[in-house]
Amino acid sequence: MPTPKFATAARAALADTRLRRNLRGATASLRERAGASPEPGDWEELREAGRAIRDDALLNLDAHLEELERAVTEAGGTVHWAADAAEARRIVLALVQATGAREVVKARSLVAREIGLNGALAAAGITARETALADLVVQLGGDEPSHLLSPAAHRDGAQIRELFLRGLLGAPPDLPDEPAALVGAARAHLREGFLAARVAITGANFLVAETGTAVLLESEGNARMCLTLPDTLITLAGIEKVVPAWADLEVLLQLLPRSAAGEAMTPYVSSWTGVTPGDGPRAFHLVLLDNGRTRALADEVGRAALRCVRCSACLNVCPVYERTGGHAYGPVYPGPIGAILTPQMRGVESAADASLPYASTLCGACADVCPVKIDIPEVLVHLRGRVVESRRRRPVPTPELLMMRGLAWTMGDARRYEAALRRGTRWARLLSRGGRIRRLPGLLGKWTEARDLPAPPAESFRAWWRRRP
């Protein structure tokens, strides 16, 4: 079934009062946490430094990736290159099957969700056990994440309790919906999986080219268990995650925690480089994914989206996201960053992807909070232009394009324009009630679905001007 357009998918969310209440509470809490932490005195300088670091990494991405592969290999790891999601799935599936494991533990990885890894593993008879609490909730609920930082933001305590009672073996029937009790039940469920796991799959926030080091930030410690206990470690990352040197992390590790949760530092910052005899996994595999990223990199305006450090600050201030949640944006990247990243990685040919750049009021709040200064509204407008251009190339024009061409022809001649204005005014005044038009016919009805249109005056400005003495 094709993914629905944003407006269509958002209707169900807008009608779900419980979902909207949960989202409003979650985003308000995250904003309060960010606001409670005072900004460093050099915050704007840090943002500018972060922007420069990410831009330098992207503009010299080929050289940094070659350096990264060389460093990972020298440290005893293996680098795999995946051009698209299908190739990445094949690589990971082959690596897991080579170990003979029938179950893997997973730390949070957006790339794993992007390529549909869990479904591919399940089809091969391999169980993927999510270990981050929010991801576990999403997995048990059989739905999609709704937030980058808090994937289960659309669920409240009572809903999580019901999922745990159904999906966690050994969960007590009198389990309360208090956070401490729910966390305890999840910990007991996951402990056995950690101890028995032979293969772990993780994501990475950053990849340091000079040393071949992967860096992952988290708040629960589950990823660290994945990094240390299994024999085989597979890390999935997009090619844009590369940073040139360790010194760059000095800036980025100040920006990301502060923007994500108002913290001076994330509770757990793990870094690993290749393999170390007698300590940790005996085999390390790094899978680097393109999947449309080089296409985004080629766009001088749109490539700014690849600076993203996945802090989710833009989601927390977005009025559209707060009302619709993340599911309407598609299965991977929600919110304003998803509205500019997904259409670039996947193209704007499908109706769903073409609708994402319009899922915004262009209020600019997202650009104000972005720690690496992505001008999201600028990219949104740029992508809207790409959507329009893609429609011009269709062999059969869309009704909207035909209407706009007709308007252009009419307005291209003064006599045609004035004749159309006179006729249109008469019809519009017939449709008005109480000085307002509440429903226009045909395609024009899209405008009045969400707003009333003032009735036009009986006399146009041009006519009034001509009869002035």
Side-chain angles (χ1 to χ4, degrees):
M1 180 181 295
T3 304
K5 294 192 293 185
F6 179 87
T8 303
R11 288 194 184 101
L14 292 171
D16 189 335
T17 55
R18 187 175 191 177
L19 171 66
R20 294 183 65 181
R21 184 174 62 251
N22 293 344
L23 288 168
R24 187 166 56 248
T27 53
S29 175
L30 288 166
R31 285 196 301 268
E32 289 173 7
R33 288 170 60 185
S37 176
E39 288 184 352
D42 60 348
W43 180 246
E44 288 305 315
E45 289 81 0
L46 281 170
R47 291 181 70 205
E48 181 58 31
R51 182 205 61 76
I53 289 169
R54 296 298 294 130
D55 277 349
D56 173 71
L58 294 172
L59 291 174
N60 299 283
L61 189 59
D62 53 348
H64 296 319
L65 287 172
E66 290 178 358
E67 183 180 10
L68 174 70
E69 181 180 32
R70 185 164 52 251
V72 170
T73 303
E74 290 175 354
T78 305
V79 176
H80 308 265
W81 301 88
D84 54 27
E87 186 174 7
R89 288 194 300 269
R90 288 194 298 269
I91 291 169
V92 176
L93 184 58
L95 291 173
V96 175
Q97 289 175 329
T99 68
R102 307 309 299 172
E103 182 177 287
V104 300
V105 290
K106 286 180 71 247
R108 182 171 301 166
S109 170
L110 286 171
V111 168
R113 185 166 292 279
E114 180 184 330
I115 66 174
L117 181 59
N118 283 12
L121 292 173
I126 299 168
T127 301
R129 181 178 291 196
E130 299 288 355
T131 62
L133 178 59
D135 288 326
L136 175 62
V137 171
V138 170
Q139 185 178 43
L140 292 175
D143 56 7
E144 303 292 345
S146 58
H147 194 277
L148 291 177
L149 185 66
S150 305
H154 57 291
R155 300 280 191 179
D156 57 30
Q159 292 173 313
I160 295 173
R161 174 184 179 274
E162 293 174 5
L163 292 175
F164 279 12
L165 290 176
R166 292 201 306 265
L168 298 189
L169 295 177
D174 59 347
L175 178 68
D177 59 7
E178 298 172 357
L182 295 173
V183 170
R187 183 184 297 115
H189 167 76
L190 292 171
R191 180 69 60 175
E192 179 183 350
F194 282 131
L195 295 176
R198 295 164 53 192
V199 180
I201 299 173
T202 76
N205 291 99
F206 305 108
L207 301 169
V208 184
E210 70 175 353
T211 59
T213 302
V215 180
L216 182 62
L217 284 68
E218 52 156 340
S219 60
E220 301 170 20
N222 61 292
R224 187 162 293 181
M225 298 284 280
C226 292
L227 296 172
T228 53
L229 295 177
D231 294 329
T232 300
L233 174 61
I234 303 170
T235 296
L236 297 168
I239 56 176
E240 83 282 10
K241 293 296 184 181
V242 174
V243 295
W246 268 101
D248 300 323
L249 292 180
E250 178 186 356
V251 173
L252 298 174
L253 291 183
Q254 292 181 72
L255 291 170
L256 177 52
R258 173 69 180 72
S259 297
E263 298 171 329
M265 182 53 66
T266 306
Y268 294 89
V269 179
S270 300
S271 61
W272 61 102
T273 306
V275 295
T276 303
D279 184 17
R282 293 198 292 269
F284 170 59
H285 299 272
L286 175 62
V287 181
L288 294 171
L289 177 68
D290 184 337
N291 203 35
R293 287 163 173 80
T294 52
R295 175 165 51 185
L297 188 65
D299 188 326
E300 292 186 3
V301 176
R303 73 165 64 117
L306 297 177
R307 290 185 211 148
C308 178
V309 293
R310 309 294 192 267
C311 69
S312 76
C314 60
L315 282 71
N316 301 332
V317 299
C318 178
V320 176
Y321 170 84
E322 185 174 340
R323 287 157 180 79
T324 64
H327 295 154
Y329 294 87
V332 185
Y333 300 106
I337 188 62
I340 64 172
L341 192 57
T342 300
Q344 291 193 87
M345 291 168 55
R346 295 172 48 170
V348 294
E349 286 72 27
S350 74
D353 295 332
S355 70
L356 289 177
Y358 297 90
S360 171
T361 64
L362 300 180
C363 69
C366 49
D368 291 340
V369 300
C370 178
V372 288
K373 291 192 171 183
I374 302 172
D375 191 341
I376 293 178
E378 179 189 32
V379 182
L380 285 168
V381 172
H382 170 70
L383 291 174
R384 291 179 185 185
R386 280 181 49 187
V387 171
V388 172
E389 288 302 317
S390 72
R391 290 173 177 171
R392 292 184 193 278
R393 296 191 296 269
R394 292 179 179 177
V396 179
T398 63
E400 179 186 11
L401 185 56
L402 287 174
M403 184 176 68
M404 296 306 292
R405 286 176 177 172
L407 286 172
W409 178 83
T410 300
M411 298 176 74
D413 179 84
R415 286 178 297 180
R416 288 196 297 264
Y417 173 72
E418 291 196 11
L421 193 62
R422 286 193 300 271
R423 296 190 183 108
T425 297
R426 285 198 294 268
W427 280 105
R429 290 181 65 80
L430 287 173
L431 292 171
S432 68
R433 296 291 184 274
R436 296 280 175 179
I437 301 172
R438 291 176 172 79
R439 180 173 297 177
L440 285 170
L443 286 175
L444 297 174
K446 293 290 185 180
W447 176 266
T448 51
E449 278 184 0
R451 60 183 69 79
D452 291 341
L453 184 68
E459 184 180 36
S460 70
F461 174 81
R462 286 170 177 252
W464 172 82
W465 185 263
R466 277 196 298 266
R467 68 176 178 80
R468 289 179 72 242

